[in-house]
Amino acid sequence: MAKVVVAGAGINGVSSAIWLQRAGHEVILIDREGPASGTSYGNAGVLAAGSIIPITTPGLLAKIPKMILAPNAPLFVRWKYLPKVFPFLIKYLSHANSNHVKLYAKAMSKLLYDTVEQHRALADGTGAEKYITNDDYYFGYETKAAFDADAFAWDVRKKNGISFKVLNKDEFEKLDNIYKNKFEVVVANKNHGKISDPGAYIKKLAQHFEKNGGTFIKSSVTGLIENGRSLIGVKTDGEDILADHIIFTLGPWSGDIAKQLGLSVPFESERGYHIELVNPSIMPKAPIMVASGKFVVTPMDGRIRLAGVVEFGGLNAVASKAPVELLKSNAAKLFPEIRYDRLDEWLGHRPTTANSLPIIGRVNKYDNVLTGFGHQHVGLTGGAKTGRILADLIDQKKPNIDLSEFNPNRYM
Ligand SMILES: Cc1cc2nc3c(=O)[nH]c(=O)nc-3n(C[C@H](O)[C@H](O)[C@H](O)COP(=O)(O)OP(=O)(O)OC[C@H]3O[C@@H](n4cnc5c(N)ncnc54)[C@H](O)[C@@H]3O)c2cc1C
């Protein structure tokens, strides 16, 4: 049995902690605010096995100027932040080509394809099972032309084993009649699912971890305690915490620690937003990606969550008004007659590497350190399996997945 510190209690950290605990280790989970206080709280909740197409697709470059200037496009830049983010954006956009999309899809499909089973295995016996549902995940296109324009993405999904069915307007409206005359074509992705309250789900998992003898410490990790080729612990704003192994799952806040671990990862926050319509008069049946606005509508416990937008503006700036207004106007267009008790707003940060691939595995600089961050738009989907992989790696077990595209040391 080893003593393992897991720094960061989003889905990646909490899953790591639970799988390590099940393997018999003494685990200390650290988070500066509490479980699910970062990005894992406010995402769209979709277990999106088929989300294997990155944002950086062929043709993106040409569309960007129009997208940035159009008020109803889901891409925003905080102008003051542009000089800082510019070098990252150059690297990020260099991946907007078909070869990279194919490489990304192949690597990510291995991490994501069995997401519902992975979450069920993670939650088994924890009380968090009740938040997992099996659903189709819909992609709604306003026009047939818009669907046809996405043919490359659907072809890549098909080649990577994603099962889906293309529905016409009437077929879809029979399945969910709250969307009258909204979409000409809807694609139903099979074998998908959702978490009906991501924050509550992860908190429940963390409670189970503590109930079973795991230690949670609410502190900020501020530095590393090194001894030759080992890290013997982390410094925090409270006590130093010593360990035999350390896993860093700090989500979008991983940049500084990555540097200290010898990794020069081009890394940014892709800011995203949600609004929630609390206690709504109507409820969709399953999550849907509205393709024209690139936002997701998810039925959640007691509310509808609309989540989306990509904004480059860094980790520290306050929420911008325009993305929230855009989500509100999208909600009004989609559900013109809806009534609800309250509208809540949230800003979050997707942890994003320049090639959109996460960083999962052992770090060369130290013998006993692993990372699991950078899951961008699909961290909830891939988080259950990522934690399991990291726990296996600590036990020197070979995970049943090719991790080469996620290898942290490609950034050394
Ligand atoms: C609008 C939006 C919609 C999304 N929708 C989906 C979706 O439908 N499906 C999907 O799969 N993914 C979705 N995502 C992406 C997903 O939410 C993230 O990829 C995922 O939550 C990342 O999890 P994480 O554990 O890596 O990071 P986080 O959840 O951010 O956890 C990191 C933790 O580290 C802690 N921390 C940071 N710094 C320190 C420090 N120095 N010391 C101690 N603790 C620290 C933070 O408090 C935080 O709790 C969405 C994201 C956004 C923004």
Side-chain angles (χ1 to χ4, degrees):
M1 182 180 85
K3 185 170 168 188
V4 188
V5 158
V6 179
I11 183 60
N12 283 298
V14 170
S15 172
S16 303
I18 288 185
W19 284 112
L20 285 162
Q21 183 178 59
R22 285 178 181 158
H25 297 293
E26 179 191 346
V27 187
I28 301 173
L29 179 63
I30 309 175
D31 197 286
R32 62 183 174 197
E33 284 184 58
S37 51
T39 323
S40 297
Y41 167 81
N43 53 65
V46 186
L47 299 181
S51 290
I52 55 168
I53 307 298
I55 297 293
T56 46
T57 46
L60 176 68
L61 216 52
K63 287 185 214 151
I64 283 183
K66 204 170 152 202
M67 285 178 91
I68 289 184
L69 295 173
N72 59 351
L75 176 67
F76 294 83
V77 176
R78 286 181 73 99
W79 295 110
K80 270 192 184 162
Y81 195 68
L82 187 59
K84 177 130 199 287
V85 77
F86 195 70
F88 171 84
L89 285 179
I90 298 291
K91 289 184 187 141
Y92 181 68
L93 293 171
S94 73
H95 293 93
N97 61 68
S98 57
N99 282 346
H100 182 68
V101 172
K102 288 177 198 163
L103 179 149
Y104 175 92
K106 194 171 167 206
M108 289 306 283
S109 58
K110 289 177 194 146
L111 186 66
L112 307 183
Y113 78 95
D114 57 349
T115 174
V116 180
E117 289 91 322
Q118 290 293 335
H119 276 276
R120 289 206 183 281
L122 173 66
D124 189 30
T126 66
E129 303 90 326
K130 65 181 177 190
Y131 297 105
I132 306 169
T133 64
N134 288 73
D135 293 279
D136 285 354
Y137 177 29
Y138 297 118
F139 272 53
Y141 292 90
E142 280 169 20
T143 62
K144 168 87 168 50
F147 168 64
D148 290 342
D150 244 0
F152 171 65
W154 290 108
D155 184 51
V156 171
R157 288 191 184 94
K158 199 170 175 181
K159 287 188 173 130
N160 283 282
I162 307 302
S163 154
F164 57 86
K165 193 172 173 204
V166 180
L167 308 170
N168 66 29
K169 177 178 168 304
D170 293 342
E171 286 167 330
F172 178 59
E173 288 178 7
K174 260 186 221 149
L175 294 173
D176 197 339
N177 65 9
I178 69 170
Y179 294 109
K180 279 269 178 260
N181 300 318
K182 295 292 185 288
F183 306 109
E184 268 182 17
V185 178
V186 174
V187 184
N189 289 283
K190 301 292 171 186
N191 310 319
H192 279 56
K194 72 167 192 299
I195 302 294
S196 63
D197 186 334
Y201 171 68
I202 293 161
K203 285 192 180 92
K204 190 79 194 168
L205 291 170
Q207 275 165 19
H208 168 85
F209 162 76
E210 282 197 87
K211 220 163 83 193
N212 280 270
T215 304
F216 174 75
I217 297 178
K218 190 171 166 183
S219 277
S220 192
V221 173
T222 54
L224 312 178
I225 310 173
E226 200 183 53
N227 183 8
R229 279 202 46 86
S230 292
L231 275 195
I232 55 169
V234 289
K235 293 181 185 151
T236 76
D237 54 2
E239 291 169 16
D240 290 352
I241 301 167
L242 303 183
D244 303 315
H245 302 272
I246 302 173
I247 299 181
F248 290 100
T249 47
L250 296 171
W253 297 276
S254 299
D256 287 345
I257 288 287
K259 275 188 206 132
Q260 294 180 54
L261 297 176
L263 310 174
S264 52
V265 188
F267 191 63
E268 259 302 327
S269 153
E270 253 186 53
R271 293 153 61 101
Y273 292 80
H274 83 216
I275 60 168
E276 288 188 332
L277 314 180
V278 178
N279 199 14
S281 54
I282 49 173
M283 190 58 104
K285 295 221 163 55
I288 182 165
M289 156 73 78
V290 178
S292 59
K294 300 263 182 290
F295 64 96
V296 179
V297 180
T298 309
M300 291 206 173
D301 294 345
R303 66 232 197 248
I304 302 174
R305 184 175 283 182
L306 292 94
V309 174
V310 167
E311 182 187 46
F312 289 100
L315 288 166
N316 300 321
V318 294
S320 309
K321 283 204 176 101
V324 174
E325 290 311 314
L326 177 61
L327 284 174
K328 285 183 189 169
S329 96
N330 285 336
K333 271 187 224 144
L334 207 55
F335 307 123
E337 282 162 23
I338 195 169
R339 285 168 282 106
Y340 47 86
D341 290 349
R342 199 178 72 234
L343 188 147
D344 292 341
E345 302 170 6
W346 174 83
L347 157 68
H349 300 273
R350 303 180 190 90
T352 301
T353 61
N355 67 4
S356 303
L357 289 160
I359 296 177
I360 306 168
R362 274 189 188 280
V363 168
N364 269 354
K365 186 175 176 190
Y366 300 108
D367 293 331
N368 60 339
V369 175
L370 298 96
T371 61
F373 69 93
H375 293 65
Q376 206 197 15
H377 289 243
V378 287
L380 182 69
T381 306
K385 191 187 255 181
T386 298
R388 202 170 187 173
I389 291 169
L390 292 169
D392 279 351
L393 289 175
I394 293 246
D395 279 339
Q396 308 292 346
K397 287 190 204 156
K398 196 175 173 330
N400 189 17
I401 173 173
D402 174 10
L403 293 173
S404 52
E405 298 297 346
F406 310 136
N407 183 351
N409 305 304
R410 67 187 196 261
Y411 292 108
M412 288 194 77

